[in-house]
Structures are given as C-alpha cells and as structure tokens.
Amino acid sequence: MSGIVEWYKDIMYNKNDPRTSDWFLVSSPGSLLVILVSYVYFCTSAGPRYMKDKKPYELRNLMIVYNFVQVVLSCYLFYEGLMSGWLFDYNLKCQPVDYSDNPQAIRMANGVHFYFVCKLIELLDTVFFVLRKKNRQISTLHVFHHTLMPICAWIGVRWLPNGHGTFLGVINAFVHIIMYTYYMLSSIGPFMNKYLWWKRYLTVLQLVQFCMIFVHSTQILFNGCNFPKSLSFLLSLNAIIFIYMFSSFYVENYLKNKRKNEANGTIKGKAE
C-alpha cells in the first residue's frame, strides 16, 4: 500500500508540469472528482426524481443565450488552438511537449486550461435536459462523454499542456461550433425545425472527429516521436470507445428508425 501511495505522489507532484500546478482546479483531482460525481448523481438519479412530479421548466431564452455563449467559446478555442501552434508551427506527425517558458508554449497551455474549464461548463447540457424532462437524451453515451472529457482535459493541463495531444481540442472545438449552432437554432422554436434537416450529420461529424483523433494518436506508437506513448495509447483507446458508441447511436437512431418508418409506411399503404 505504501508503494502505491509513493507512486501516486511521484506521478501527481513530481512528474507534473510545474507551470500549471497552481492553476484553477488543477492542483489536485479532488475538486474535479466532486464535481463529476455530483454531476452523474444529479443527472441520473437526484434530478429525475426531483422532476418526476413537476412540469418541465421553460428555459428557451436561457438555452438560446447558453448555446450562443458556447458557440463563442468554441470559436475562441479553435482560434487559439490554431494560432498557438497547429496552423503554422506544429507537426501533425510528431509534436513533443514544450515545457519551457516559450510564449507560444504558455499560450497553448492557457488554451488547454480554458478548454478544461469549458468541458466543465458543458456539464450544464445534461442539467438542462433534466430540468426540461428530456430524459430520452440523457443516454449512457451522453453522460459518459461529458464525464470523461473533463478528466482528459485535466490530465492534459496537469501533465501535457501543449504538443501532440492538443490536436484533440482543436478538432473538438470546431465540431462544437457547428453542434452548438444547431442547438441554438433548435432552441429558438419549432418553426426552425424545417431548417435543421442536418441533425443526423452532427453524429457523422462526431464520428469523423474521433477517427481523425484515432489516426493522429495511433501514429505516435510507431513513428518514434518523443511524446508519451502511454497517453497516445489512451487517446487511441478513448477514440475507439467513442467511435463504437457514436456508431451504435447512429445505427439505432437513424438507420433502424428509417427502416421502421419505411416498414410502417408500406403496411399503411397496403391497409389503405
């Protein structure tokens, strides 16, 4: 047991990036774990029980503002990710972590920390689902995704706040620009639905995102790049899990439903 404790202390306090160790919510995992455990408990148990005998809250104006803010934050993250390295300087095949006080390295580290904070803000997505009694949208995929992303971002800030792994954040920010634009438009009112025929392609975009991350991370395992292979493996594994889960979601919600609708239409036609 003492060996495990010493190993934990060594990883947490000797091998972390000292530049970011005192940043907001980064000094220890305790605060993050409390937030995430509270999030899961509220969204899967306490929240639905609280709302069971209540009418859904009308949050239209709040949702419009929230989604607009998310679009702005995602645009900022995408811009910072590009300007801090990925547009001009970073190498897609291999980008080691820069632990120096180079202004560009610090700028990317600040961007990663801001990305981490944004992942915490995004937990409100599920809270709003609960308050609006949209329980069908509180899927295992949704809760797992929103719980895991802050953990990945926290690991990035504490140990690897720039370099190869930040590609994930840039791609994710781009996807979120489109995704939250859709959510903002859909929250305006039902009359917008005719303009939102592209909903299913959001899932396709998510799948493309994780395929890109898988390829980008997996190459590190074979090209001799000076970037932690353990983290590259975890990023690749994470991408595989999400590819499977989003693929299953797409098949279940779009392909199978399409077949059911076609079958029902055929039966209805015969009956008439």
Side-chain angles (χ1 to χ4, degrees), residues 49-66:
R49 283 190 283 109
Y50 170 76
M51 292 299 299
K52 184 177 180 180
D53 300 319
K54 293 180 172 60
K55 293 182 179 180
Y57 285 94
E58 176 59 60
L59 303 175
R60 177 174 296 178
N61 292 334
L62 176 60
M63 293 298 298
I64 293 172
V65 173
Y66 170 77

Side-chain angles (χ1 to χ4, degrees), residues 119-136:
K119 294 301 106 180
L120 295 179
I121 296 173
E122 288 170 18
L123 298 179
L124 289 173
D125 288 4
T126 325
V127 174
F128 292 145
F129 284 155
V130 172
L131 297 179
R132 295 164 63 212
K133 299 187 79 168
K134 302 286 185 179
N135 295 332
R136 183 174 175 273

Side-chain angles (χ1 to χ4, degrees), residues 162-212:
N162 59 61
H164 204 80
T166 58
F167 181 76
L168 180 156
V170 177
I171 297 299
N172 187 243
F174 174 76
V175 171
H176 278 204
I177 293 171
I178 300 172
M179 185 180 76
Y180 281 108
T181 297
Y182 171 86
Y183 291 156
M184 181 179 65
L185 294 174
S186 65
S187 62
I188 293 174
F191 69 92
M192 292 295 296
N193 290 344
K194 60 183 177 181
Y195 304 110
L196 300 175
W197 51 267
W198 42 281
K199 178 182 179 181
R200 65 183 297 176
Y201 297 108
L202 290 175
T203 305
V204 174
L205 189 61
Q206 293 274 25
L207 281 168
V208 171
Q209 168 192 208
F210 289 113
C211 287
M212 292 176 66

Side-chain angles (χ1 to χ4, degrees), residues 2 8 28 30 51 72 111 123 163 233 248:
S2 61
Y8 172 80
S28 74
M51 292 299 299
V72 173
L123 298 179
F233 174 78
S248 300

Side-chain angles (χ1 to χ4, degrees), residues 18-28 105-114 116 154 157-158 161:
R19 298 172 303 177
T20 64
S21 59
D22 295 327
W23 290 6
F24 178 63
L25 294 178
V26 180
S27 58
S28 74
I106 299 298
R107 181 176 181 179
M108 182 65 85
N110 279 301
V112 174
H113 184 249
F114 189 71
F116 163 64
W154 185 85
V157 179
R158 188 161 180 85

Side-chain angles (χ1 to χ4, degrees), residues 8 11 29 46 56-57 79 85 91-92 101 138 145 153 221 223 230 240:
Y8 172 80
I11 292 293
Y57 285 94
Y79 172 80
N91 189 321
L92 284 169
D101 290 326
I138 309 173
H145 178 68
L221 302 175
N223 67 7
S230 57
I240 290 173

